[in-house]
Amino acid sequence: MFEYEQEIVDALLNENENFKRLHSRHGELKEKVKDANSGVAPLDGYTLDTLKKEKLHVKDQMAAMINQYRQAQLN
């Protein structure tokens, strides 16, 4: 995730508690989705879809923070 932005991600992880919280939550959701898809943690379709949507929402929030950080560095 955000392989091309690793320097910014590292900076935000060190400087921004909200980004750190979102990053952690994204990791948790990613594991839950992976476990559900592999059958380790069976979930119904609705619950799995809900987890995927939350994971995407968290990723979108992190992407917005990365973009804001990048813009701030340009100014």
Side-chain angles (χ1 to χ4, degrees), residues 17-34:
E17 286 300 317
N18 188 39
F19 187 86
K20 185 185 277 189
R21 182 186 59 77
L22 290 170
H23 189 270
S24 177
R25 181 66 181 150
H26 185 270
E28 292 169 8
L29 291 166
K30 184 177 179 178
E31 283 299 311
K32 287 181 180 182
V33 169
K34 184 183 85 161

Side-chain angles (χ1 to χ4, degrees), residues 51-67:
L51 287 176
K52 287 179 178 180
K53 287 177 184 176
E54 183 182 354
K55 180 177 162 267
L56 182 59
H57 179 70
V58 169
K59 186 174 181 179
D60 288 345
Q61 288 178 298
M62 291 187 332
M65 293 175 82
I66 289 169
N67 287 333

Side-chain angles (χ1 to χ4, degrees), residues 3 9 12 14 16 21 43 46 49 51 70 72-74:
E3 298 85 21
V9 169
L12 285 168
N14 288 323
N16 189 306
R21 182 186 59 77
L43 295 175
Y46 177 79
D49 285 346
L51 287 176
R70 186 184 310 107
Q73 297 303 309
L74 294 175

